[in-house]
Amino acid sequence: MKKVVGTIKLHIPAGKANPSPPVGPALGQYQVDIMGFCKAFNAQTQKMEEMKLPVTITVYSDRSFTFQVGTYLTSELLKKYAKLEKGASEPGRTPVGKLSRDKLREIARMKIADLNTDDIEKAMRIIEGQAKSMGILIT
């Protein structure tokens, strides 16, 4: 059994990992093969849409690593479906976009494995809360 030296959590666009920040410095402090990680990550995520993905990298004492890729970030999905570049600068005051209930349900289905509920309606309410905090109205 290898000894775990560290765990790194990053958000990296699918298929776009490279040695520049944040990947390089995060892995460099553990003296891990940065290009090896980048090639493995890009190979695993090359067919996914180019949105940020949460990645958990576990580094072992012999400088080897394993990584686990999560589902798309909720904020990225909300921006994509609402066709936005970014969320509101003043959430609650100035809405920046709209999202239909059907699209909200679609996002909830994608994210339900990451949420602390199995009920799609509750998952929709969780996602709706994040949408409101980004200045997106649900219609």
Side-chain angles (χ1 to χ4, degrees):
M1 187 91 183
K2 297 178 188 177
K3 182 182 175 196
V4 175
V5 209
T7 303
I8 305 165
K9 293 184 178 187
L10 299 171
H11 294 148
I12 307 171
K16 297 288 182 181
N18 58 40
S20 65
V23 177
L27 294 177
Q29 68 183 341
Y30 293 103
Q31 299 175 344
V32 173
D33 177 18
I34 298 168
M35 283 309 297
F37 166 77
C38 291
K39 287 178 183 176
F41 176 83
N42 291 340
Q44 184 174 334
T45 61
Q46 71 184 4
K47 294 185 179 172
M48 301 173 102
E49 284 187 55
E50 192 180 317
M51 289 193 293
K52 287 186 181 176
L53 295 168
V55 183
T56 304
I57 307 162
T58 306
V59 181
Y60 301 101
S61 58
D62 63 351
R63 297 184 187 158
S64 63
F65 63 88
T66 58
F67 66 94
Q68 185 173 12
V69 179
T71 60
Y72 295 114
L73 298 173
T74 306
S75 59
E76 294 286 320
L77 289 170
L78 288 167
K79 287 190 298 186
K80 177 188 172 199
Y81 283 106
K83 296 179 177 83
L84 300 173
E85 288 293 316
K86 64 178 193 166
S89 57
E90 295 179 15
R93 294 185 184 189
T94 54
V96 292
K98 293 181 180 179
L99 196 64
S100 69
R101 286 242 169 249
D102 294 335
K103 294 291 183 187
L104 187 71
R105 183 178 301 275
E106 195 174 320
I107 294 171
R109 280 198 182 107
M110 283 187 228
K111 295 295 293 182
I112 199 158
D114 296 340
L115 300 173
N116 59 356
T117 184
D118 292 331
D119 183 15
I120 193 72
E121 293 299 321
K122 289 180 182 175
M124 284 175 63
R125 288 177 43 205
I126 292 169
I127 306 286
E128 184 175 358
Q130 186 164 352
K132 285 181 180 178
S133 72
M134 292 176 65
I136 300 172
L137 299 175
I138 306 301
T139 56

